[in-house]
Amino acid sequence: MNLGSHIVQRALRLPPPVTRNLTVERDLRVPMRDGAVLLADRWIPKSGGDGLPTALVRIPYGRAGLVGNQMARPLAERGFQVLVQSTRGTFGSDGPFDPLRREREDGLDTLDWVIEQPWFGDSMILYGPSYLGFVQWAVADSAPPQVKAMIPVVSESALTLEFLRADGFSLETPFGWAVQVARQERKFAMPRAMLGAKKVRRALHTLPLNQADTAAMGYRYDYVQNILEHDDTTPFWKGLDHRHRVADIDVPVSSVGGWYDIFLPGQLRDHRVLQEAGRTPLRLTVGPWGHTSMGVGPAAFGEALDFGLALCRGEQPAERAPVRLYVMGQEKWRDFPSWPPPGYEPRRLHLQPDGGLSPDTPPTDSPPDTYRYDPTDPTPAVGGVRMAFGVKTGRVDNTALEARPDVLTYTTPVLDEDVEVIGEVIAEIFVRSSIPHADVFVRLCDVDDSGRSTNICDGLTRLTHADHTTRATVQLWPTAYRFKRGHRIRVQISSGAFPRYNRNPGTGEPRATATTLRAADQHILHDLAHPSAIILPTR
């Protein structure tokens, strides 16, 4: 084992290896139904590799380097043989690469090929994060009985569609990912991507947006044009949406996610579908992580070994609760019987005059609060659910953000007891704008005894008739958080979080071709007729 791999595995806190003496069979040719050939590498112990349970990893990002040392090697040293396959159109596999589009057909063909190989030992798991998890959801309802478990990590069955919502386009993540994969096979791709991160961020300001890929890379890229032209409601993405397959999945699933992960809402939706269908064994683990946080890896490997390898061997996984959540604020792992956990009831905290927030007092007659939103100086995204080079994710200090004139805050008095919030968070905000087109961004924060405000979860929705008083229902990210006695609960309201969400130009023009930016005066109502509130699942 090389030194770099040794350091990675120590950081992952993995159990001791069974062997460190591995060999890699490279560029195995896996035929597809249409004649295309996808390449794969097989990681095995030098002695006794045939017949071991197989971990199948299908990946569009290449098979060498960190992929081998961080994913294949640790599993191959601890009881698996590992097949790492480059998806269609990437790193030697026949193409072209049309993101997400062919993963069901190619995945099923790959499964058929694996179980016919003389080295296959009659059991396998599907494994991997993000895109590598999506390819699992794409095939799991039709997986052969030799697939004993799937371990999708920070992933879901309708990958990217949350970004492309008609009522809230998440710009930063799909654009940054598109730039990454468009140039990933160039020499020194990763260092170049990190060095070019500022250029990519500048490109997000481009108008019209359909010129942003040219600003970032010097040419147009089909995937960027597609995400700008087609929102989640259009038939264009139908073949990439596997949500309808989840209820028919019989494969045992252990899903690993993060409270600040870009795919968390969909991942919890998938788990709940399986839970309601009575599928067992079924596990869910959610930690205090973003999409690329270091803690995700150890949790995923733990599930591959404890859950996946046990099932491959015909054994029962170690006893644990079906749902294991990291409760932030308390900073402790806790076990629950289901998602969402039982016993947490919705509690309305009403917006009050003078920046108050109260669970007990209904709003009184009072004038609305106002602010001006200017898309030429858009309210910035700060921490939270992010995935971009050089950008901090998760919990951060919101002091500077809350000092902006385009951000309103509403805060409870000091808490005289702990308040625990676990589950889905929703805000109902009555808003009126000076123009029809406006966004409502809502963020839940914890204010400590020193006055520091830290973000917990948030969400955005877009309105198209905002010049009339409208109740905006904003679905925030799910969470598990304990507000401590002596702290305060705060709600932020603004009209954006750029570039996580695309700025609303205020004109109603299509997002791909909009060129005019129009400022607006926003009014947030909180009176008896318009009881704006955030709804927290509390116990």
Side-chain angles (χ1 to χ4, degrees):
M1 181 172 70
N2 63 45
L3 179 60
S5 175
H6 179 63
I7 292 171
V8 166
Q9 295 196 40
R10 285 186 63 186
L12 292 176
R13 300 185 299 277
L14 296 176
V18 176
T19 179
R20 287 179 173 163
N21 201 10
L22 304 179
T23 188
V24 184
E25 298 176 355
R26 301 197 183 275
D27 296 338
L28 302 180
R29 296 174 61 82
V30 184
M32 301 291 107
R33 66 189 67 181
D34 64 346
V37 173
L38 309 188
L39 299 185
D41 295 344
R42 178 179 170 233
W43 291 67
I44 49 174
K46 282 190 175 178
S47 60
D50 288 3
L52 289 176
T54 300
L56 176 61
V57 177
R58 302 191 62 246
I59 182 169
Y61 309 124
R63 307 185 302 281
L66 290 177
V67 174
N69 285 328
Q70 289 186 353
M71 296 185 64
R73 179 178 288 277
L75 293 176
E77 291 179 342
R78 289 166 176 81
F80 285 100
Q81 53 179 322
V82 184
L83 189 73
V84 183
Q85 181 192 59
S86 288
T87 57
R88 181 178 292 251
T90 68
F91 294 89
S93 290
D94 288 346
F97 178 47
D98 188 355
L100 310 165
R101 186 72 62 179
R102 289 279 311 190
E103 303 310 343
R104 180 168 175 83
E105 296 85 353
D106 289 352
L108 291 173
D109 290 350
T110 300
L111 290 174
D112 289 343
W113 180 86
V114 169
I115 63 178
E116 293 175 356
Q117 300 312 299
W119 43 260
F120 180 64
D122 206 39
S123 66
M124 76 169 91
I125 67 168
L126 311 180
Y127 180 80
S130 195
Y131 196 111
L132 290 65
F134 170 78
V135 301
Q136 300 173 50
W137 291 114
V139 301
D141 67 314
S142 298
Q146 290 88 345
V147 177
K148 305 301 182 183
M150 56 182 282
I151 302 168
V153 181
V154 291
S155 188
E156 57 128 321
S157 62
L159 204 76
T160 75
L161 292 190
E162 168 69 27
F163 306 148
L164 308 182
R165 288 173 21 223
D167 65 347
F169 174 47
S170 295
L171 172 63
E172 179 179 61
T173 294
F175 183 85
W177 182 80
V179 172
Q180 173 195 330
V181 297
R183 303 189 293 188
Q184 65 177 347
E185 296 194 43
R186 297 168 60 191
K187 193 174 183 180
F188 306 120
M190 187 58 69
R192 285 181 171 183
M194 290 187 288
L195 291 171
K198 288 185 178 180
K199 184 177 182 181
V200 172
R201 287 198 292 271
R202 287 196 300 269
L204 298 176
H205 291 263
T206 303
L207 292 177
L209 265 178
N210 62 11
Q211 300 294 323
D213 47 3
T214 302
M217 299 185 292
Y219 58 91
R220 287 202 166 191
Y221 186 52
D222 285 348
Y223 184 73
V224 170
Q225 299 302 316
N226 290 337
I227 64 174
L228 294 175
E229 291 287 346
H230 306 283
D231 64 41
D232 66 325
T233 65
T234 66
F236 183 84
W237 303 111
K238 183 178 179 181
L240 284 63
D241 185 355
H242 301 289
R243 285 174 290 188
H244 63 289
R245 306 186 193 281
V246 176
D248 296 326
I249 293 174
D250 291 321
V251 177
V253 178
S254 180
S255 192
V256 178
W259 294 123
Y260 296 97
D261 178 46
I262 54 179
F263 298 123
L264 179 65
Q267 186 167 22
L268 294 178
R269 178 203 63 234
D270 290 337
H271 177 84
R272 194 166 182 175
V273 169
L274 293 170
Q275 179 179 273
E276 292 173 353
R279 300 293 185 256
T280 58
L282 179 65
R283 286 183 178 181
L284 171 69
T285 305
V286 186
W289 308 312
H291 193 67
T292 58
S293 297
M294 283 296 294
V296 174
F301 277 111
E303 292 306 298
L305 299 174
D306 177 63
F307 186 83
L309 189 56
L311 290 169
C312 282
R313 291 171 171 170
E315 303 167 356
Q316 288 299 312
E319 188 71 24
R320 59 154 271 191
V323 175
R324 179 164 290 171
L325 309 176
Y326 187 88
V327 180
M328 299 177 293
Q330 187 183 20
E331 311 307 331
K332 182 180 178 180
W333 286 99
R334 302 248 304 276
D335 287 344
F336 299 90
S338 63
W339 175 265
Y344 292 80
E345 300 298 329
R347 187 181 188 187
R348 299 180 73 91
L349 277 66
H350 292 100
L351 276 57
Q352 302 286 346
D354 302 318
L357 185 68
S358 174
D360 304 312
T361 308
T364 59
D365 285 330
S366 58
D369 296 318
T370 63
Y371 63 92
R372 187 168 181 80
Y373 173 72
D374 185 354
T376 65
D377 179 25
T379 316
V382 176
V385 180
R386 309 286 297 279
M387 191 188 77
F389 287 114
V391 170
K392 185 171 177 57
T393 190
R395 290 180 275 182
V396 300
D397 186 348
N398 279 235
T399 302
L401 177 63
E402 292 174 354
R404 288 179 59 103
D406 57 359
V407 178
L408 301 179
T409 61
Y410 301 85
T411 312
T412 66
V414 172
L415 301 174
D416 56 13
E417 62 181 3
D418 289 0
V419 175
E420 188 167 278
V421 175
I422 301 181
E424 308 287 336
V425 179
I426 299 174
E428 294 178 352
I429 307 299
F430 287 86
V431 60
R432 185 175 65 249
S433 177
S434 60
I435 59 177
H437 303 280
D439 289 350
V440 180
F441 178 78
V442 179
R443 169 168 276 189
L444 178 66
C445 294
D446 179 10
V447 182
D448 65 19
D449 50 12
S450 70
R452 184 178 188 265
S453 177
T454 302
N455 55 292
I456 298 165
C457 60
D458 49 45
L460 177 144
T461 194
R462 176 157 293 187
L463 305 175
T464 55
H465 297 90
D467 51 341
H468 299 85
T469 298
T470 303
R471 182 176 66 178
T473 300
V474 183
Q475 183 75 54
L476 282 67
W477 245 235
T479 195
Y481 197 90
R482 178 175 288 187
F483 295 88
K484 293 181 179 179
R485 181 169 60 90
H487 287 210
R488 292 175 292 160
I489 300 172
R490 175 168 291 171
V491 171
Q492 287 179 22
I493 298 178
S494 64
S495 290
F498 180 79
R500 175 184 167 191
Y501 293 100
N502 185 37
R503 55 186 166 176
N504 192 327
T507 61
E509 295 176 274
R511 64 192 183 207
T513 55
T515 56
T516 302
L517 300 178
R518 186 178 177 190
D521 295 313
Q522 319 290 45
H523 304 261
I524 304 301
L525 290 74
H526 41 71
D527 54 45
L528 286 173
H530 308 99
S532 294
I534 191 166
I535 305 167
L536 304 179
T538 61
R539 186 175 65 179

